[in-house]
Amino acid sequence: MNFGNWNCPAGGSVVGVYWAVDAYSTGPATGDWGDNVVYPRVRVGSGAYNTLSYQTMCKKWGWYTYRGVVGQRSLTPYKSGLSYWY
């Protein structure tokens, strides 16, 4: 999953993402830092349905970091190794 800089409403770039598959309530959200990419484990194949919950962390002006967009996306991948942009 790649998160574009449009997920930073006050400008800047995505430098981290809090994320969980299906729901935050099923366990602690995982974080990925240093870039805008996460590699979640999801169910794959016919009828596979996943909900990705996420919140971006954005960096602006070289030092200022703030919480960006919170959202959910549905994923139904038909094979492994696919890439998605959000």
Side-chain angles (χ1 to χ4, degrees):
M1 309 275 148
N2 300 286
F3 291 88
N5 292 338
W6 54 85
N7 289 291
C8 296
S13 58
V14 176
V15 294
V17 182
Y18 287 111
W19 61 273
V21 174
D22 291 331
Y24 283 113
S25 61
T26 62
T30 301
D32 181 74
W33 309 109
D35 59 22
N36 66 335
V37 181
V38 297
Y39 300 94
R41 296 187 106 175
V42 296
R43 291 176 293 285
V44 176
S46 179
Y49 183 82
N50 306 274
T51 300
L52 176 74
S53 302
Y54 64 90
Q55 180 176 34
T56 56
M57 292 298 291
C58 301
K59 189 170 192 176
K60 187 174 180 181
W61 303 311
W63 59 271
Y64 176 65
T65 303
Y66 68 96
R67 291 180 185 266
V69 173
V70 174
Q72 283 190 329
R73 301 285 185 190
S74 296
L75 298 171
T76 54
Y78 62 92
K79 69 176 188 173
S80 312
L82 297 175
S83 181
Y84 295 87
W85 279 92
Y86 294 116

